[in-house]
Amino acid sequence: MASVDSLLSLLSTYSNPPKNYVGTFLFISYIVSALELTSLLTGQLFMIYEKWTSKQPQSLHPSPQHILLFASLAVLSFSLLSYNMLAVLFTSYINWCDRTGVKAGFAFSEISSDLMPKLWAWTTGSTLFEDFARDLVADGREGWFWTGSALAFTLGICETFGRIGTERNVPHLWAYFLLGQILPISFTQNLFYITLLLLPRPSPELKSYTTTSLPTIITPILTLLSTPLLILLPSTLSTPWFLPLALLLRILMLVPLLPQLIGLHRYSVKSKPSRNTFSTPMLVVLGVFAVHAGWKIARGEWSLQGLWESRGETPAARAVVWDAGVGVVSAGLWWVVGVVKEAGEERKRR
């Protein structure tokens, strides 16, 4: 027992300022992992084109306009993400400088000698990840409606990755899930759509999938667990349960990958290949959030004006909320593209 207590004490020492080495390691790991996964998935697009798309008849090639559309949305998403995340980092750095009395700026002559030690002191002397999570929760105020809804959207897109990704045998599906955990979701979402456009088209006929029970219960699990978790998370902000519950929410977003990881990657129904991008967990949780917001307004705890003004009130919240906005537009356009393609294929069959 004493060894466990000493281990926890050691972990606490190196997870909090001024020796937050664990947080610094995670910060650097996030950046490196995001770059590696982005490189993997974008390189995979060229590989898929060379292996499958280029060998298909010209009539089966994806529309260049569709590729350009979702590539543009991916670039927009990455640009907004870069702007907002830099604002998060600058805000954290300025706050650290204010607390410690360190000069915030750099003279050109100081950069080579002073920059790296100062950045190291900032990363080990701040709680960047915890501050980011707390900014998203917004102390349970009106801003939580927007960031919570954005997280619900992310959960729904992860369910879509698992459902459509397994149907279409998307290579390296795990990488989409990991990148979606590291970065706000819309950038990964648009890379996923481009991948689906490049992969061989599924048959429009009904297909019989291998009977498995696990995939059919993924959606109820996500819905039943994520809904109360998202509603209750702000109330745990000042308790030791906050970070574990926030981590649990992230783990839930990986659940749709489970069937493929253990080999149960076919659905137990006869159906056409899916193109639905607005999943049941997403719609249910968003509906509950809307009811919850109405209840708060009715009780006088929130106001309509406060709800409107609170959207993206911090750089962390803007990063997530703006990204969800791009994601919703992307999902809507993907649905439209699917409808147009189905209509064109139906005309050809006639």
Side-chain angles (χ1 to χ4, degrees):
M1 189 68 179
S3 60
V4 174
D5 289 340
S6 61
L7 180 62
L8 291 175
S9 176
L10 184 66
L11 182 62
S12 176
T13 299
Y14 292 109
S15 301
N16 291 285
K19 297 181 178 180
N20 189 10
Y21 301 139
V22 173
T24 301
F25 173 76
L26 289 175
F27 173 64
I28 297 172
S29 299
Y30 261 56
I31 295 174
V32 173
S33 298
L35 293 174
E36 287 291 333
L37 289 168
T38 300
S39 176
L40 171 66
L41 294 179
T42 51
Q44 177 178 272
L45 296 178
F46 293 98
M47 183 202 72
I48 291 174
Y49 180 81
E50 290 294 329
K51 186 175 181 180
W52 285 301
T53 313
S54 62
K55 298 177 181 178
Q56 298 291 321
Q58 188 67 35
S59 60
L60 296 180
H61 282 203
S63 165
Q65 290 82 5
H66 294 163
I67 298 290
L68 179 61
L69 171 64
F70 293 108
S72 299
L73 287 168
V75 170
L76 173 62
S77 171
F78 193 81
S79 301
L80 291 175
L81 166 66
S82 300
Y83 171 78
N84 285 308
M85 292 310 296
L86 282 174
V88 170
L89 297 179
F90 283 141
T91 300
S92 173
Y93 176 71
I94 294 299
N95 289 340
W96 173 79
C97 289
D98 289 341
R99 289 197 308 270
T100 58
V102 174
K103 178 185 175 183
F106 297 98
F108 282 106
S109 59
E110 296 175 334
I111 288 180
S112 59
S113 60
D114 194 42
L115 178 60
M116 294 310 297
K118 191 176 289 189
L119 291 180
W120 175 256
W122 159 57
T123 55
T124 57
S126 60
T127 53
L128 186 60
F129 281 94
E130 186 173 348
D131 292 344
F132 186 86
R134 292 180 182 278
D135 282 348
L136 293 185
V137 172
D139 295 326
R141 301 187 308 274
E142 289 96 328
W144 175 236
F145 172 79
W146 301 103
T147 52
S149 297
L151 291 175
F153 175 78
T154 300
L155 185 75
I157 292 298
C158 287
E159 194 270 345
T160 300
F161 285 173
R163 175 167 43 84
I164 300 181
T166 50
E167 285 183 6
R168 298 286 302 275
N169 284 326
V170 172
H172 296 119
L173 185 58
W174 58 269
Y176 293 92
F177 278 87
L178 289 186
L179 187 59
Q181 294 290 304
I182 295 172
L183 302 179
I185 196 67
S186 72
F187 176 68
T188 311
Q189 176 189 355
N190 282 290
L191 292 182
F192 185 75
Y193 292 158
I194 297 172
T195 302
L196 295 182
L197 289 171
L198 292 175
L199 284 172
R201 295 186 190 179
S203 170
E205 305 301 324
L206 295 178
K207 293 181 66 176
S208 179
Y209 297 108
T210 304
T211 301
T212 59
S213 59
L214 183 59
T216 60
I217 66 172
I218 292 294
T219 294
I221 288 175
L222 286 175
T223 305
L224 291 174
L225 294 181
S226 62
T227 304
L229 187 58
L230 281 168
I231 294 295
L232 295 175
L233 189 61
S235 63
T236 67
L237 189 59
S238 58
T239 73
W241 289 100
F242 174 70
L243 287 180
L245 288 179
L247 179 61
L248 176 59
L249 183 61
R250 284 295 179 181
I251 292 174
L252 280 177
M253 294 180 185
L254 298 175
V255 169
L257 182 62
L258 187 60
Q260 190 185 72
L261 288 180
I262 63 178
L264 300 177
H265 56 277
R266 295 298 185 199
Y267 291 88
S268 58
V269 294
K270 290 185 177 182
S271 65
K272 290 185 178 181
S274 301
R275 62 174 170 78
N276 178 27
T277 56
F278 296 97
S279 68
T280 301
M282 183 199 314
L283 297 175
V284 169
V285 178
L286 289 175
V288 171
F289 256 74
V291 172
H292 179 68
W295 179 68
K296 288 276 193 180
I297 291 171
R299 293 185 59 185
E301 298 179 25
W302 291 0
S303 67
L304 286 173
Q305 181 179 356
L307 196 63
W308 177 250
E309 292 175 350
S310 65
R311 66 197 190 286
E313 59 186 347
T314 64
R318 282 197 299 273
V320 173
V321 173
W322 290 11
D323 181 82
V326 175
V328 170
V329 171
S330 301
L333 289 172
W334 177 253
W335 182 84
V336 171
V337 165
V339 170
V340 171
K341 287 173 67 176
E342 281 190 5
E345 290 168 359
E346 184 65 28
R347 283 195 301 271
K348 289 180 181 178
R349 285 194 293 270
R350 290 175 182 176

